[in-house]
Amino acid sequence: MMPITRDELRTLLRLPPTDAEPARIGVDDETVRNGIRLQRVTLQGTGPAIAGTLLLPATDGGRAPAILYCHAHGNRYDIGAAELVDGRPALQDPPYGPLLAERGYAVLCIDMPGFGSRQLDGTESALAKAALWRGQTLSGAMLGDLTAALDALTAHPAVDPARIGTLGISMGATHAYWLAALDDRIAACAHLCAFADIGPLIETNAHDLHGIYMTVPGLLENGDMGDVAALIAPRPQLAASGLKDPLTPPVALNPALSRLRQAYETQRASDRLTVLTSPDTGHQETPEMRAAVLTFLENALGA
């Protein structure tokens, strides 16, 4: 089987056209603390406005590296982009937004369909079913929104467009590496507690632990999650997992990691791939993962 291509992924996702007018960030309100600007924003120009949070670091006027932070699922539809500032139980403290801003990064997170301020759009199940009936996918809609956020972040005057990374845990991890696979503007990607092949999860009946948002019809006829993440090579990538996580058991994690490593070896970029596997933890960020993420981002993007 030939490796899956970016164009094939776009077709499977039924991604919206890429020739739309780029989105822009509108600021609804702002607070400043220790020089860090916390803005409640709306992403405008992509249809209905999408709410989110943007943190801008204290700078000397230069352009900062940036993180497009992808929020998790966890069946907590009320959290959404608030995860950036408030955190969530699966993550270490402090929350990533303030921590990264203090380290010199601009950080943007937007609500995904059905989460946070967008719960009134419908439930995850209803949105996914409606998309499938229309020949679309909820995963594609989410990645389309994140692409619009990337457009806006790239154009922001405080951001260095050559130093933008993605970061997330769980659903956010999946979004982080799928978006990086689809878009070369992502210079580096760090993802936690989600990376594993779907085929083996189906064989062991563990796939139903994932939300329906993640379903991409036909993907397994062309490849699997390891092949998606492989498209990021040779750009820097961090993949962190817990072996007791039911979403990343060895039977599904190992083949995905094998093909990922092979992709970086083929491009003579093995030093740009960081794999961290925690043998005794489940679906949660560990202190070691947090330290690895911060080191990875500093090495890949600077601050």
Side-chain angles (χ1 to χ4, degrees):
M1 180 185 298
M2 293 293 292
I4 196 167
T5 67
R6 181 176 293 173
D7 286 343
E8 288 170 338
L9 283 186
R10 295 188 65 87
T11 298
L12 292 172
L13 289 164
R14 302 296 193 267
L15 281 177
T18 58
D19 56 356
E21 180 180 348
R24 62 187 186 279
I25 295 174
V27 180
D28 299 322
D29 65 69
E30 176 181 282
T31 57
V32 181
R33 185 173 181 179
N34 298 326
I36 295 172
R37 296 154 59 191
L38 189 157
Q39 299 178 341
R40 304 298 181 183
V41 301
T42 53
L43 201 62
Q44 302 168 342
T46 60
I50 300 171
T53 299
L54 173 65
L55 283 83
L56 297 172
T59 66
D60 57 3
R63 289 177 176 254
I67 304 298
L68 180 53
Y69 186 89
C70 306
H71 72 72
H73 188 304
N75 293 314
R76 288 292 304 275
Y77 299 97
D78 56 310
I79 296 180
E83 175 185 321
L84 185 65
V85 174
D86 298 336
R88 68 166 58 235
L91 289 168
Q92 295 287 310
D93 287 324
Y96 267 114
L99 176 62
L100 291 173
E102 289 172 0
R103 288 172 170 258
Y105 299 90
V107 194
L108 173 65
C109 184
I110 62 170
D111 284 327
M112 288 289 92
F115 290 83
S117 65
R118 303 178 72 181
Q119 290 178 86
L120 294 178
D121 293 351
T123 66
E124 176 189 0
S125 177
L127 292 169
K129 291 173 183 176
L132 291 169
W133 278 111
R134 293 167 177 153
Q136 302 164 351
T137 67
L138 181 54
S139 183
M142 289 174 162
L143 288 164
D145 288 347
L146 288 168
T147 298
L150 177 59
D151 291 341
L153 196 57
T154 300
H156 197 286
V159 169
D160 181 350
R163 293 190 292 159
I164 298 177
T166 52
L167 167 64
I169 187 171
S170 195
M171 179 178 79
T174 301
H175 286 160
Y177 75 79
W178 272 75
L179 187 64
L182 291 164
D183 201 315
D184 285 331
R185 292 177 296 173
I186 302 299
C189 170
H191 50 92
L192 315 177
C193 304
F195 181 60
D197 277 344
I198 298 298
L201 291 181
I202 292 174
E203 292 173 3
T204 57
N205 203 33
H207 65 292
D208 201 31
L209 295 171
H210 282 294
I212 193 174
Y213 82 89
M214 196 174 176
T215 306
V216 181
L219 175 64
L220 299 187
E221 296 178 347
N222 299 269
D224 211 319
M225 295 302 197
D227 305 291
V228 175
L231 291 172
I232 301 171
R235 288 167 288 156
Q237 183 173 176
L238 165 65
S241 311
L243 290 186
K244 292 187 176 179
D245 186 343
L247 296 183
T248 60
V251 69
L253 172 64
N254 290 341
L257 285 176
S258 177
R259 295 197 307 289
L260 183 58
R261 288 188 173 105
Q262 183 179 8
Y264 278 83
E265 290 170 0
T266 298
Q267 300 200 41
R268 298 181 179 179
S270 295
D271 58 329
R272 298 184 183 181
L273 175 64
T274 302
V275 174
L276 177 60
T277 304
S278 175
D280 300 316
T281 59
H283 195 68
Q284 62 196 72
E285 182 187 37
T286 66
E288 293 75 18
M289 290 179 189
R290 173 62 61 97
V293 167
L294 297 176
T295 299
F296 171 82
L297 294 178
E298 182 178 357
N299 291 339
L301 302 175

